[in-house]
């Protein structure tokens, strides 16, 4: 038995084998995982002969592969997403059938025969044999969810033991799949039936080919020296073609490279980069892996530079990934870690001195710090294209802990920066206990050395987390009740959810975000992405949304208010550009109560709209909704929300025909009506209103309307809303993406040109005592002032006042006049009027019962000096607030401001020195051409939606103000100083003589 030696060891080196052995000695869980790995591999060797593997894999040639999102044609039930082979769902080869786990039907059969290419029923395509091929190929080669298939596990066993039997079996699997790989066209779920459109290879959809290819290249690297490699390939011989194992495998590795048929358009040839989305990132890591193992220097050179560009431009100055879903950030972290590892393997020492990925603070924040800081009651936020959050606890999810742990382990091993290494080690200690149940399923868990750790308690993020460039704000109060609201630009994988809430109480995501599962489905395109599917306000029924449009183009709004105290936490975002209005802004305020619960005050102000639809929904589980304080309208002839006051009755506006009623497994309609399509189709208008059905319409009977959701899991959410007499109250039913669940939704429609929505929301365990009795409006003096009193069952009275305008407001309470100089304030009294708490939320001063309450002044201060490299700004001497966490910076006090998180504040004789945590660089590029006022960048700027008005600063003295970025490589700008071709530049949003304000 010889010690295995890789060709290069580009992913795992021989030193990693030693690390795995040390891990096994030091950590019982590693020893147990390695024993399990050997057991599985030995079982595979005993159960599957070479000839069986060849027959099984080669039988897939010419047949379909499919996820099976259509489910069962009998019961319409869903199929498991990742079943164990032989676990009862799939038969064992040579049979190719599956058993529906819902109705036990066996497919294919006489009713539903399948020749391997599937069949069509009622407009839906079904692929029973394709599903069998999909799961079996994923198990053997690596798949959609587990990229390290049996072939990789066998290679690991060979690396660890040196026993050739594992290597030879791995070689058989590689050889068999390599023989059919280039002629396949990917899974069929995302194309019309019988389409020959190329969507990947084998069972691997588009970019998933590249994810698995990294491991296939790694396997080839460690099997490279086997003497069998240069002997004839049995797989090719069975197909009547000549060639060796090596030729066959290298042909597979070099196929489907540099681009992605069926996925987003890009071409990596020549070092070109297109949009920097996660698909292109997958392509880069495959290019690096294949370039290393097959010794293609261009692939390596292009990949090293691409890694630098991705870390500079796909990740913002706040460490947030540009695509509009935090779930995609978590996935992309794993891609970037691979890219970074492969890049340092390919780079020379000189190149690493110029740029080392693991020395990047931006990358470290993205991969390690932000995932820990973005948690909402232990949950990763689920906004944008990501799955529903149905977790029911406040513990750190083991999978999330493992993701953070693995990222920290990379930086601990590979970072040349001692400070980053130290913080990575600290994160390993904080997450190791929670991560342990998930560790060991990936090769990286076994082959990277785990230091001996002293486990530390993982502390939850407290207070507010704001990501300035991404425009994501997370508000947490003293009871850890949590609200997430997004004010940032809309990018790929976003939903149209600007100023919508994700709301977390009792370890649950209460706001029932319906999530995302299948890109391009009817449910995704027409429903889940739309504003009406989120807890926000839709303006003018989103009538301007074009066919196929997922979300409105939006460069981002701003955070305009932040307040934190033991009694109140408040956060306000403004986004008038979303609809082109005079005002579109929302303030969320959380007020903690002694029983550990909190109530949410929701203030949404809109000016300049014709119709406003405020929506609220609650709970993922089944819940009943009841309304109080309303009377039903006499005319109630619309069946869907789209049918209310429609000029022409929509064709789907009848019972049974609404999109919501017909949405089913696979996220498409059953049946499809004339001119409807199963994928990449939206109705006109494209606003999601046709998915809300069973409409009932009401008028307010009382000034305060109450909506109460009672969930089957024992929770009650009560929504108290102050309404105007002409408001229209609507309740309806909406579907989840699968169409198997249907839930109630509340909509408050207003036709006022200036509308202030006011709501108080409280969630409690149903058996707990009521805490909120009622709310009622207070008389006021001032412009656009809204004030109300909240009566609590313990006798407390909470008074709230809010205005979109800064002014002196007068509010009449039962205990006298309350005056506020500012925009927003809060007073809590007992039943006798004794003040128990107060908050100058956005106020210089308040007076109540003769008592003067002063707030923190927030004057604008001019920036005197700025150092881009050190991330420092020097301000005029003044007294900054204690414990200041954020600062706003703008060209003038009247202009929209950029938000920065503060790392340190130093008092100096010449002023206040502020060290920011964020970089001042939004993105970087290099000038390809510069003609008049148009600059072409060599590298894409995917965050460009929010760059209008920002500064372009060249390394050789070029200077400009960005006027527009019509595409990700074209910049229209007002040139202040000329640029040279090839000149590197930074895009920044701060400069000397700008103005700053503490938030």
């Amino acid at each position: 038995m010889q010690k295995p030696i890789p060709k290069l060891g580009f992913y795992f080196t021989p030193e990693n084998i030693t690390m795995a052995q040390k891990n096994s000695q030091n950590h019982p869980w590693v020893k147990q995982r390695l024993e399990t790995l050997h057991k599985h591999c030995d079982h595979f060797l005993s159960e599957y002969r070479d000839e069986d593997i060849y027959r099984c894999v080669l039988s897939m040639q010419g047949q379909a592969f499919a996820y099976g999102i259509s489910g069962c044609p009998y019961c319409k039930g869903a199929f498991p997403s990742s079943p164990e082979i032989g676990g009862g769902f799939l038969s064992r080869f040579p049979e190719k059938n599956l058993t529906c786990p819902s109705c036990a039907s066996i497919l294919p059969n006489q009713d539903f025969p399948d020749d391997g290419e599937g069949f069509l029923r009622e407009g839906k395509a079904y692929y029973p044999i394709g599903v069998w091929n999909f799961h079996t190929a994923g198990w053997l080669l690596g798949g959609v969810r587990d990229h390290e298939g049996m072939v990789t596990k066998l290679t690991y066993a060979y690396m660890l033991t040196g026993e050739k039997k594992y290597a030879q079996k791995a070689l058989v699997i590689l050889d068999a799949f390599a023989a059919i790989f280039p002629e396949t066209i990917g899974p069929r779920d995302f194309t019309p039936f019988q389409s020959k459109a190329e969507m990947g290879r084998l069972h691997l959809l588009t970019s998933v080919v590249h994810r698995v290819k990294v491991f296939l290249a790694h396997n080839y690297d460690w099997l490279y020296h086997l003497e069998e490699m240069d002997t004839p390939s049995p797989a090719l011989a069975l197909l009547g073609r000549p060639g060796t194992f090596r030729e066959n495998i290298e042909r597979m590795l070099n196929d489907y490279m540099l681009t992605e048929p069926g996925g987003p358009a890009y071409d990596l040839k020549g070092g070109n980069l297109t949009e920097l989305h996660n698909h292109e990132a997958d392509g880069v890591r495959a290019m690096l892996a294949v370039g290393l193992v097959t010794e293609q220097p261009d692939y390596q050179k292009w990949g090293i530079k691409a890694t630098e560009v991705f870390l500079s431009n796909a990740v913002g100055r706040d460490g947030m990934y540009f695509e509009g879903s935090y779930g995609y950030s978590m996935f992309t972290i794993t891609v970037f870690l691979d890219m970074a590892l492969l890049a340092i393997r390919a780079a020379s020492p000189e190149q690493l001195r110029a740029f080392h990925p693991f020395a990047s603070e931006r990358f470290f924040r993205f991969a390690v710090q932000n995932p820990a800081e973005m948690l909402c009651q232990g949950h990763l936020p689920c906004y944008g294209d990501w799955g529903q959050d149905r977790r029911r606890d406040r513990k750190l999810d083991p999978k999330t802990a493992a993701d953070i742990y693995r990222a920290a382990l990379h930086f601990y091993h590979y970072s040349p920066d001692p400070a980053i290494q130290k913080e990575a080690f600290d994160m390993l200690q904080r997450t190791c206990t929670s991560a342990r149940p998930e560790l060991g399923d990936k090769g990286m868990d076994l082959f990277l050395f785990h230091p001996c750790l002293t486990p530390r308690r993982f502390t939850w993020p407290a207070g507010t987390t704001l990501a300035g460039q991404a425009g994501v704000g997370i508000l947490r109060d003293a009871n850890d009740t949590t609200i997430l609201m997004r004010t940032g630009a809309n990018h790929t994988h976003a939903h149209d959810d600007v100023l919508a809430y994700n709301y977390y109480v009792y370890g649950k995501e209460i706001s029932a975000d319906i999530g995302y599962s299948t890109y391009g489905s009817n449910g995704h395109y027409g429903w889940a992405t739309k504003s009406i599917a989120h807890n926000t306000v839709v303006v003018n029924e989103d009538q301007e949304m074009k066919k196929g449009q997922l979300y409105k183009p939006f460069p981002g709004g701003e955070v305009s208010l932040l307040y934190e105290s033991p009694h109140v936490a408040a956060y306000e975002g403004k986004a008038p550009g979303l609809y082109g209005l005079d005002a579109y802004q929302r303030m969320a305020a959380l007020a903690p109560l002694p029983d550990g619960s909190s109530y949410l005050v929701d203030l949404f102000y809109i000016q300049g709209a014709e119709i406003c639809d405020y929506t609220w929904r609650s709970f993922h589980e089944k819940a009943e909704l009841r309304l109080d304080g309303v009377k039903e309208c006499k005319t109630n002839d619309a069946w869907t929300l789209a049918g209310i006051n429609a000029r022409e009755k929509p064709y789907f506006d009848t019972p049974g025909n609404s999109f919501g009623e017909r949405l089913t497994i696979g996220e498409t309609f059953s049946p499809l009506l004339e001119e409807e399509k199963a994928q990449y189709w939206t109705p006109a208008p494209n606003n999601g209103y046709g998915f809300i059905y069973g409409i009932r319409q009401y008028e307010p009977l009382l000034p305060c309307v109450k909506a109460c959701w009672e969930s089957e899991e024992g929770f009650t959410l009560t929504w108290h809303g102050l309404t105007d007499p002409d408001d229209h109250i609507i309740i309806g039913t909406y579907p989840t993406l699968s169409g198997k669940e249907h839930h109630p939704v509340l909509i408050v429609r207003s036709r006022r040109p200036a509308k202030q929505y006011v709501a108080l929301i409280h969630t409690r365990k149903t058996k707990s005592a009521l805490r909120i009795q009622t709310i009622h409006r207070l008389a006021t003096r001032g412009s656009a002032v809204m004030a109300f009193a909240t009566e609590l069952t313990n006798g407390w009275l909470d008074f709230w006042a809010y205005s979109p305008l800064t002014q002196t407001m007068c509010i009449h309470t039962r205990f006298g006049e309350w005056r506020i100089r500012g925009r927003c304030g809060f007073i809590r009294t007992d039943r006798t009027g004794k003040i128990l708490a107060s908050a100058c939320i956005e106020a210089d001063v308040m007076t109540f019962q003769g008592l003067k309450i002063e707030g923190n002044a927030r004057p604008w201060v001019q920036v005197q000096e700025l150092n881009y490299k050190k991330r420092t700004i020097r301000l005029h001497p003044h007294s900054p607030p204690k414990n200041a966490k954020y600062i706003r910076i703008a060209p003038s006090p009247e202009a929209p401001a950029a938000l920065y998180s503060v790392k340190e504040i130093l008092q100096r004789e010449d002023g206040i020195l502020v060290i920011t945590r964020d970089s001042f660089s939004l993105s970087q590029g290099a000038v390809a051409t510069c003609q008049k006022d148009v600059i072409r960048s060599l590298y894409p700027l995917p965050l460009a939606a929010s760059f209008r008005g920002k500064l372009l600063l060249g390394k050789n003295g070029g200077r400009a103000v960005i006027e527009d970025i019509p595409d990700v490589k074209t910049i229209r700008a007002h040139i202040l100083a000329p640029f040279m071709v090839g000149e590197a530049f930074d895009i920044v949003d701060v400069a000397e003589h700008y103005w700053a304000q503490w938030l």
Side-chain angles (χ1 to χ4, degrees), residues 878-892:
H878 67 284
S879 297
K882 291 181 180 180
N883 303 317
K885 292 165 58 178
Y886 302 100
I887 192 168
R888 304 169 74 219
I889 306 174
S892 70

Side-chain angles (χ1 to χ4, degrees), residues 583-905:
Y584 186 80
Q585 60 195 65
R586 188 176 211 174
M587 189 187 89
L590 293 170
L593 299 175
D595 68 347
S597 71
S598 305
Y599 69 80
L600 161 65
V601 170
D602 182 16
L603 301 163
F604 210 133
Y605 180 75
I606 304 103
Q607 186 174 339
E610 294 179 10
I611 301 175
C612 296
D613 287 334
Y614 172 104
T615 65
W616 190 270
R617 73 210 75 224
S618 304
F619 303 121
H620 287 293
E621 66 270 23
K622 185 177 179 181
E624 299 294 329
L625 171 61
R626 107 175 153 266
L627 283 179
D628 291 321
V630 297
K631 62 178 179 180
E632 191 159 3
C633 296
K634 294 180 181 178
T635 57
N636 197 7
D637 56 352
W639 179 245
T640 67
L641 186 61
I644 297 178
N645 299 325
R647 293 178 183 176
E648 263 183 50
K649 187 175 181 66
Y651 74 92
F652 52 80
D653 191 53
T654 56
N657 282 332
S658 74
F659 302 138
E661 291 167 282
R662 290 187 288 125
L663 196 63
T664 185
I665 294 295
E667 301 177 28
T668 190
F669 303 139
S670 181
L672 285 166
L673 302 184
E674 188 178 356
E675 297 186 3
E676 294 178 348
K677 295 180 181 178
Q679 291 154 336
Y680 304 104
W681 178 87
T682 54
N686 175 24
N687 59 8
Y689 278 44
F691 286 82
I692 299 176
Y693 66 93
I695 292 299
R696 300 184 68 178
Q697 303 178 55
Y698 302 88
E699 297 172 1
L701 190 61
L702 301 173
C704 177
V705 170
K706 186 187 294 186
C708 186
W709 282 260
E710 289 194 7
S711 94
E712 65 179 8
E713 292 188 359
F715 297 91
T716 298
L717 181 142
T718 306
W719 180 95
H720 306 259
L722 294 180
T723 58
D724 295 309
D726 52 353
D727 283 346
H728 198 48
I729 315 297
I730 304 162
I731 61 169
T733 302
Y734 71 92
T736 57
L737 282 173
S738 69
K740 283 212 157 188
E741 299 174 36
H742 298 258
H743 302 292
V745 60
L746 168 73
I747 299 159
V748 182
R749 174 168 287 189
S750 170
R751 293 182 178 272
R752 295 192 170 205
K755 173 62 177 178
Q756 176 70 72
Y757 285 101
V758 179
L760 184 149
I761 296 123
H762 183 235
T763 305
R764 62 187 176 90
K765 294 180 179 178
T766 304
K767 293 182 179 179
S768 301
L770 284 170
R771 302 296 173 187
I772 308 298
Q773 191 165 304
T774 188
I775 68 171
H776 56 86
R777 196 183 305 251
L778 299 174
T780 64
R781 291 202 311 274
S783 179
V785 178
M786 168 57 71
F788 65 95
T790 304
E791 296 186 21
L792 287 84
T793 53
N794 64 356
W796 289 356
L797 286 166
D798 286 356
F799 299 107
W800 296 85
Y802 173 83
S803 172
L805 309 172
T806 300
Q807 59 186 305
T808 297
M809 302 183 285
C810 298
I811 299 97
H812 299 286
T813 77
R814 68 177 70 177
F815 305 118
E817 187 177 75
W818 175 26
R819 294 175 68 87
I820 304 172
R821 193 169 72 215
R823 290 203 303 120
C824 185
F826 165 84
I827 296 281
R828 172 172 288 166
T829 73
D830 65 12
R831 57 171 53 90
T832 68
K834 180 183 176 182
I835 298 176
L836 303 175
S838 62
C840 292
I841 296 172
E842 179 78 350
D844 296 333
V845 65
M846 303 189 303
T847 56
F848 186 70
Q849 297 185 29
L851 181 67
K852 184 177 181 181
I853 306 165
E854 294 190 356
N856 291 322
R858 299 195 304 123
W860 287 90
V861 184
Q862 195 163 35
V863 175
Q864 297 299 298
E865 186 180 13
L866 184 146
N867 187 313
Y868 289 101
K869 289 187 177 180
K870 294 184 178 180
R871 298 200 303 268
T872 61
I873 56 173
R874 183 170 61 83
L875 306 175
H876 270 309
H878 67 284
S879 297
K882 291 181 180 180
N883 303 317
K885 292 165 58 178
Y886 302 100
I887 192 168
R888 304 169 74 219
I889 306 174
S892 70
E894 295 77 29
L899 178 73
Y900 278 78
S901 56
V902 174
K903 185 175 182 180
E904 193 174 359
I905 302 170

